[in-house]
Amino acid sequence: MTPMEFDFLKTFLKTRSGLVLSNDKQYLVESRLLPIARSSKLETLSALIQSLQKGGNRALETEVVEAMTTNESFFFRDKTPFEHFKETMLPAMLQNRATRKQIKIWCAAASTGQEPYSLAICLKEAAAKVGGWRIRILGTDLSQEVLEKAKTGLYSQFEVQRGLPIQLLLKYFDQKGDMWQINAGLRAMIEWKKLNLLEQFSHIGEFDIVFCRNVLIYFDQPTKTEILERIAKALPDDGFLVLGAAETVVGLTDAFKPVPGKRGLFQKKQAAQTATRPALAGATSRLAVGATTLR
């Protein structure tokens, strides 16, 4: 792959997905795209790039973008965000949403589904508190392939061993040969949609909590700012934003402020400056689409 070909690929990926490739990532490009070149009967990576340059092959373009933007995920990844969910976010929602009894959560870049399912498990474990509440969890990702896997809720022994306590595995999964499948009740709690964060997403509605972890690190600063400000519009004043451990809003937007003592947890600036507000009245009915009532 020549320097000019690599430059084309960097521009192509940034335009399509927001991914910013540094010059030291050529090894990553080769490891992820060479298998695609071979399966497409293209002898070299240069031949694959030439095909992209010609245009017209949407299937190949999609495959390349998905290969370069697909990242690993595992259950209860990093633990801390899920502790914040149970100890800070959920109690706030139980107080502020007591009138309408509904919680809406969006997991952006949900990958193969472990994050949304981990949150669904947290809510099932808190059934005594949220029984009768309507729960909407939306998982989105740029890759249709990983979303299809997420929908099945089917994971290998290796995947369920990464971060999932054995008691939760036995409680919420059914063994299917060499695989484990999330039970039907948990799968029904989550709605899946293909979504590119570079595009407008106002159509998906408003959410109380947004998980957008380990995504912004791949974007340049203007793109990070734009995405964060659009996420702010999808949150009410007392909504929460969860970012990855290495991510921040500092220097990017004034729409959010860190929650003191809670790494990776942010609230709208208005909420950080005022006391907890009462439940918002008159939630629009379209936000309840796909919601599941916990029993």
Side-chain angles (χ1 to χ4, degrees):
M1 181 169 53
T2 68
M4 287 184 64
E5 289 169 341
F6 189 59
D7 285 343
F8 166 80
L9 197 56
K10 288 194 293 184
T11 301
F12 172 82
L13 289 168
K14 185 177 187 303
T15 301
R16 298 301 182 89
S17 67
L19 176 66
V20 176
L21 278 181
S22 57
N23 290 328
D24 63 346
K25 291 294 189 293
Q26 188 164 331
Y27 73 95
L28 181 65
V29 170
E30 293 173 350
S31 66
R32 293 195 178 185
L33 298 190
L34 275 173
I36 294 176
R38 295 189 184 107
S39 67
S40 301
K41 297 182 169 53
L42 298 168
E43 294 184 0
T44 64
L45 199 53
S46 292
L48 183 146
I49 293 171
Q50 288 168 15
S51 180
L52 293 176
Q53 289 172 325
K54 290 178 183 177
N57 190 338
R58 294 295 298 276
L60 180 64
E61 292 169 3
T62 299
E63 195 172 4
V64 166
V65 170
E66 292 193 356
M68 291 305 303
T69 56
T70 299
N71 299 293
E72 69 169 4
S73 181
F74 49 92
F75 292 97
F76 297 98
R77 184 177 182 180
D78 300 334
K79 293 185 180 179
T80 299
F82 300 97
E83 293 172 0
H84 293 341
F85 178 72
K86 291 183 286 186
E87 297 169 5
T88 301
M89 290 178 268
L90 186 55
M93 291 298 109
L94 291 174
Q95 176 179 333
N96 296 355
R97 304 294 183 269
T99 300
R100 72 187 193 199
K101 293 187 180 297
Q102 183 179 24
I103 301 172
K104 304 178 297 297
I105 304 170
W106 174 24
C107 294
S111 189
T112 44
Q114 287 93 326
E115 180 179 85
Y117 284 130
S118 296
L119 290 168
I121 288 172
C122 288
L123 288 161
K124 281 287 190 180
E125 290 291 288
K129 298 177 180 178
V130 296
W133 284 57
R134 288 197 295 176
I135 306 296
R136 182 192 183 196
I137 303 176
L138 175 66
T140 68
D141 200 275
L142 176 65
S143 169
Q144 187 64 44
E145 181 180 356
V146 298
L147 288 176
E148 291 303 323
K149 175 178 171 61
K151 288 177 186 177
T152 69
L154 198 62
Y155 298 96
S156 67
Q157 184 71 39
F158 174 73
E159 288 172 314
V160 297
Q161 285 176 335
R162 302 185 71 192
L164 187 66
I166 184 65
Q167 68 270 23
L168 295 181
L169 172 65
L170 297 176
K171 186 174 182 179
Y172 293 111
F173 287 72
D174 300 312
Q175 192 161 13
K176 305 285 185 179
D178 295 332
M179 307 288 283
W180 292 84
Q181 187 171 36
I182 292 269
N183 66 39
L186 279 170
R187 295 203 306 276
M189 291 176 65
I190 303 171
E191 178 186 358
W192 307 97
K193 288 183 182 295
K194 183 176 180 179
L195 186 144
N196 188 337
L197 288 174
L198 294 186
E199 300 169 357
Q200 290 297 323
F201 44 74
S202 57
H203 62 282
I204 64 175
E206 185 181 80
F207 293 85
D208 304 301
I209 298 168
V210 175
F211 275 68
C212 187
R213 299 196 297 148
N214 306 310
V215 182
L216 298 181
I217 53 175
Y218 298 106
F219 299 148
D220 60 21
Q221 186 157 325
T223 305
K224 292 177 184 179
T225 297
E226 181 188 355
I227 291 171
L228 284 169
E229 292 183 351
R230 284 193 280 122
I231 288 175
K233 293 177 182 178
L235 283 165
D237 286 349
D238 62 349
F240 290 95
L241 168 67
V242 185
L243 299 180
E247 297 170 318
T248 184
V249 301
V250 177
L252 296 172
T253 178
D254 292 328
F256 294 99
K257 294 294 181 183
V259 176
K262 304 291 182 180
R263 177 174 56 86
L265 184 60
F266 303 86
Q267 272 195 296
K268 296 278 283 290
K269 185 176 181 180
Q270 297 94 319
Q273 294 175 337
T274 60
T276 302
R277 299 183 179 183
L280 299 177
T284 55
S285 59
R286 72 187 180 92
L287 297 179
V289 174
T292 299
T293 301
L294 278 192
R295 303 183 187 281

